[in-house]
Amino acid sequence: MSTIQKKTTPINRTLSIVIPTYNESKNIVKILDSLRVAITREMNAEIIVVDDNSPDGTSNTVEEYAKNSKNHEYSIKVIRRDNKKGLSSAIVTGIQRAKGDAVVVMDSDMSHPPQTIPKMVEELQNSDYDIVVASRYVKGGTVSGWPFKRKLISKGATKIAQHGLGIKIKDPMSGFFAFKRHIVNNINFDAIGYKILLEILVKARGAKVKEIPYNFIDRTTGKSKMDVSVGVDYLKSVWKLYRYGKSVKVSERRTSVHFLSKAGRFYTVGASGLLVNYFVSFLFGAVLSNLWYIYATMIGIVFSMTTNFILNKIWTFEDRNFASKRTLMQYGLFLGFSGIGAVFQLLMVYGLVELRHVNYSIALFLAVAIASVGNFLLNKKWTFQEKVWS
Ligand code: GDD
Ligand code: MN
């Protein structure tokens, strides 16, 4: 019997399409039908409809539809929330339930053409873009059906985001976009109002964004849920994102402050060690007058190394874990690095003075400086297991 193994390339790319709905029973079937044309089985797509218990029974409509969708090109999940909690928060709920590597977010009212989805997904999969925004305002994109007033509001909101938050893209207000799911893993969403894309753009730092054009067609059935409160929420969310951007900058600046403050504490502890060393040696030498002064000095050294270790553990590196094995290991490393530092310092002083004829005080200064910086960094990294730059 021949055992020819067929090599199949596993299709492991998966897609989640998140569709928020509120009173869309007239539209949802249309959009789900048209997605059957746009989506192929190979895309391994799941559709996640997030409905806020719409009074018009949208979720029942979708559940019915899902029952008869066994042979469809995609699978359907319905999430029914208790009450109307807002568009952005509905989208976040959907994203949290999504399993796909890529996620597409779109409206349910046929304003966002499903034919654009394959282009967006392809762009995500075959490039290093992390976010693909279907855009009304890049070349080739259009808006049809919106009154002048709504267009003006949209443009104004866009300008606010661009100038206020430093957003570079042309249509950060888009409700139609795709992204690699992992980029939102660590985002703590506020999900205020309508503009969840804006929050992702601000918080998924370093994400690469591409815009592709599409034609926005205003809904022909049902009503937009956009109202004054959505506008107020928008300003609130821009303000929050603005403050968020500022706090990120501050915490970045703080890395250097953190590092320097730890170094400062480390040196303070070192200086305190000199005093401990001196007094303990002195005490032992004076009190136990028959103790050889070299022994007294050795006791002083061990004593001060121990207090140094304890102070650095508790104060400099804020490590309060005193599990005995761990603490002993750290103590051993700390003593080891001090020993290495001492030997290094001796060798360096000797080398500089004897071989390079450097003045002793300069040689000593250089050797102490290098040995103590090295000591700080080694203990930071290995004894207390911190990142060097933190
Ligand atoms: N679950 C849930 N909860 N869904 C909601 C809610 C809510 O509170 N509010 C709105 N939706 C759903 C609607 O049912 C629709 O599917 C979608 O969100 C968009 O709502 P619309 O009311 O139709 O918004 P729009 O057409 O004025 O604006 C849309 O398009 C713009 C252009 O892309 C939004 O997506 C805007 O964010 C976007 O800028
Ligand atoms: Mn709409």
Side-chain angles (χ1 to χ4, degrees), residues 10-14 44 101:
I11 307 164
N12 49 16
R13 283 169 167 171
T14 49
N44 284 313
D101 311 318

Side-chain angles (χ1 to χ4, degrees), residues 202-361:
V202 171
K203 293 186 175 174
R205 293 191 312 129
K208 284 191 65 185
V209 188
K210 159 105 181 179
E211 283 181 281
I212 61 175
Y214 85 102
N215 304 319
F216 177 95
I217 309 144
D218 195 24
R219 58 163 80 233
T220 48
T221 322
K223 273 202 309 244
S224 167
K225 281 89 203 169
M226 158 96 172
D227 57 17
V228 177
S229 80
V230 169
V232 173
D233 280 344
Y234 176 63
L235 295 179
K236 251 195 236 166
S237 78
V238 168
W239 176 241
K240 271 209 132 176
L241 291 173
Y242 175 76
R243 295 238 313 260
Y244 172 89
K246 280 252 181 275
S247 74
V248 166
K249 275 202 194 108
V250 167
S251 70
E252 266 167 4
R253 195 173 340 118
R254 278 200 185 134
T255 304
S256 57
V257 176
H258 265 223
F259 181 87
L260 289 178
S261 103
K262 284 199 174 156
R265 279 180 259 172
F266 190 80
Y267 284 100
T268 311
V269 169
S272 83
L274 289 180
L275 291 179
V276 171
N277 191 343
Y278 182 82
F279 280 109
V280 171
S281 310
F282 181 80
L283 255 167
F284 273 87
V287 174
L288 308 173
S289 49
N290 55 353
L291 189 72
W292 187 30
Y293 70 96
I294 291 293
Y295 285 151
T297 310
M298 279 163 77
I299 293 174
I301 290 176
V302 172
F303 221 96
S304 65
M305 292 237 242
T306 308
T307 52
N308 276 7
F309 168 70
I310 295 170
L311 285 174
N312 276 324
K313 182 169 165 71
I314 298 177
W315 186 47
T316 311
F317 296 106
E318 293 160 14
D319 174 358
R320 305 282 147 90
N321 182 346
F322 278 92
S324 45
K325 203 172 148 201
R326 169 193 173 94
T327 311
L328 271 176
M329 276 277 286
Q330 290 177 322
Y331 187 50
L333 280 171
F334 186 82
L335 294 184
F337 289 139
S338 306
I340 293 172
V343 171
F344 173 85
Q345 187 179 324
L346 279 174
L347 288 176
M348 190 166 168
V349 170
Y350 181 82
L352 286 176
V353 173
E354 296 297 324
L355 310 175
R356 300 259 145 192
H357 306 293
V358 176
N359 182 307
Y360 173 66
S361 58

Side-chain angles (χ1 to χ4, degrees), residues 47-315:
I47 289 178
I48 304 176
V49 176
V50 188
D51 185 65
D52 283 358
N53 205 9
S54 302
D56 77 348
T58 307
S59 28
N60 295 339
T61 311
V62 183
E63 267 156 16
E64 272 309 306
Y65 190 94
K67 271 190 209 145
N68 305 317
S69 69
K70 298 278 174 300
N71 299 319
H72 282 192
E73 291 71 11
Y74 48 71
S75 64
I76 306 183
K77 266 188 215 162
V78 191
I79 302 176
R80 196 197 286 241
R81 306 199 302 172
D82 298 344
N83 49 42
K84 191 169 188 295
K85 297 193 184 116
L87 174 52
S88 289
S89 99
I91 292 170
V92 169
T93 301
I95 293 172
Q96 281 162 349
R97 291 282 292 276
K99 296 229 160 60
D101 311 318
V103 178
V104 169
V105 173
M106 73 188 303
D107 292 349
S108 63
D109 58 359
M110 301 297 286
S111 289
H112 298 155
Q115 313 83 274
T116 313
I117 295 175
K119 291 182 217 157
M120 296 160 85
V121 174
E122 203 183 293
E123 202 59 74
L124 268 190
Q125 290 177 337
N126 301 333
S127 71
D128 57 350
Y129 290 111
D130 302 300
I131 304 175
V132 176
V133 177
S135 171
R136 294 162 289 178
Y137 304 136
V138 290
K139 193 166 174 271
T142 57
V143 179
S144 35
W146 264 5
F148 177 72
K149 188 177 133 200
R150 178 80 206 246
K151 282 186 184 157
L152 202 67
I153 293 173
S154 174
K155 287 278 182 187
T158 302
K159 288 275 176 253
I160 292 176
Q162 287 168 336
H163 294 285
L165 300 172
I167 297 289
K168 301 263 166 11
I169 69 169
K170 297 240 163 49
D171 193 1
M173 301 294 115
S174 180
F176 191 20
F177 56 94
F179 58 92
K180 291 178 179 155
R181 187 161 59 91
H182 72 86
I183 67 159
V184 300
N185 282 351
N186 297 323
I187 295 184
N188 190 1
F189 283 105
D190 296 324
I192 302 171
Y194 256 45
K195 303 305 172 187
I196 197 69
L197 171 61
L198 195 57
E199 188 166 359
I200 294 177
L201 290 172
V202 171
K203 293 186 175 174
R205 293 191 312 129
K208 284 191 65 185
V209 188
K210 159 105 181 179
E211 283 181 281
I212 61 175
Y214 85 102
N215 304 319
F216 177 95
I217 309 144
D218 195 24
R219 58 163 80 233
T220 48
T221 322
K223 273 202 309 244
S224 167
K225 281 89 203 169
M226 158 96 172
D227 57 17
V228 177
S229 80
V230 169
V232 173
D233 280 344
Y234 176 63
L235 295 179
K236 251 195 236 166
S237 78
V238 168
W239 176 241
K240 271 209 132 176
L241 291 173
Y242 175 76
R243 295 238 313 260
Y244 172 89
K246 280 252 181 275
S247 74
V248 166
K249 275 202 194 108
V250 167
S251 70
E252 266 167 4
R253 195 173 340 118
R254 278 200 185 134
T255 304
S256 57
V257 176
H258 265 223
F259 181 87
L260 289 178
S261 103
K262 284 199 174 156
R265 279 180 259 172
F266 190 80
Y267 284 100
T268 311
V269 169
S272 83
L274 289 180
L275 291 179
V276 171
N277 191 343
Y278 182 82
F279 280 109
V280 171
S281 310
F282 181 80
L283 255 167
F284 273 87
V287 174
L288 308 173
S289 49
N290 55 353
L291 189 72
W292 187 30
Y293 70 96
I294 291 293
Y295 285 151
T297 310
M298 279 163 77
I299 293 174
I301 290 176
V302 172
F303 221 96
S304 65
M305 292 237 242
T306 308
T307 52
N308 276 7
F309 168 70
I310 295 170
L311 285 174
N312 276 324
K313 182 169 165 71
I314 298 177
W315 186 47

